Amino acid sequence: MAFRDRDAMIAAIRLYFEGCNEVSEEKLRRCLTADAVHFLPAGMGPPIHGVEAVLARWGADVRANGSSWTVQEVFADTEAGIGVAEWTGLKPGLGKVLRGAELYRFTEDGLIDEIRIYYASPRDDGRAVNELDGFAYADRSLVDALVGGLVGGLVGRVVSR
């Protein structure tokens, strides 16, 4: 089943970044479902649920740190209803630049209902599994299940040593 056209999916992802940069509830509501979930890496807090919470989280970052995000690349798969963006986050108040990518899952009507953020940063070797806090890996597709099985097997071997 095809989702919205590729250009519309890419436009929704770009609108999401505009909404975050401008702290615009109107823009976020045009691209996110009301109950969208934004998953974060371990240690950054639990998943962010809903437009209001996404607006509050990134709005606070914009206000406190002068943060803004730019998009380098955006890809969309209309058959899978998945988009990916590579981005740079500028945080002048902290003197930091962050880079990463996000995966976006779309509903059939073309809204984003899930965001998974991945930072381009060193992995945490203190953790057996580096993954998003609160994300239900086991409840996903066969590919995710296979990866989960591989990770489980590796963790089992590491723990048993």
Side-chain angles (χ1 to χ4, degrees):
M1 161 183 309
F3 291 77
R4 294 181 74 174
D5 68 63
R6 180 181 174 278
D7 292 339
M9 292 170 71
I10 289 171
I13 292 169
R14 291 190 181 280
L15 184 63
Y16 169 74
F17 280 94
E18 287 178 27
C20 290
N21 286 338
E22 297 170 15
V23 191
S24 170
E25 181 175 355
E26 182 271 329
K27 286 187 176 183
L28 290 181
R29 288 196 181 283
R30 285 180 27 213
C31 61
L32 299 176
T33 62
D35 58 350
V37 180
H38 194 311
F39 291 95
L40 305 167
M44 285 190 63
I48 304 168
H49 293 270
V51 172
E52 293 85 4
V54 169
L55 186 68
R57 175 70 181 252
W58 303 130
D61 193 25
V62 168
R63 288 186 291 278
N65 303 311
S67 297
S68 64
W69 297 267
T70 61
V71 178
Q72 282 71 55
E73 301 286 343
V74 181
F75 303 93
D77 180 335
T78 58
E79 289 301 314
I82 298 289
V84 176
E86 178 187 31
W87 51 262
T88 298
L90 305 172
K91 297 182 175 292
L94 298 174
K96 300 214 180 262
V97 174
L98 301 172
R99 300 191 194 284
E102 291 178 339
L103 183 138
Y104 306 87
R105 187 176 72 181
F106 285 82
T107 61
E108 289 181 28
D109 60 354
L111 295 175
I112 299 166
D113 73 345
E114 180 179 284
I115 302 168
R116 299 183 229 166
I117 189 171
Y118 299 95
Y119 285 98
S121 60
R123 66 179 184 237
D124 182 353
D125 286 332
R127 292 180 176 272
V129 178
N130 281 253
E131 59 187 24
L132 299 170
D133 269 348
F135 187 76
Y137 287 94
D139 296 338
R140 292 304 168 141
S141 70
L142 177 60
V143 171
D144 285 340
L146 290 172
V147 170
L150 174 64
V151 169
L154 291 173
V155 170
R157 283 186 287 224
V158 170
V159 171
S160 66
R161 287 186 179 171

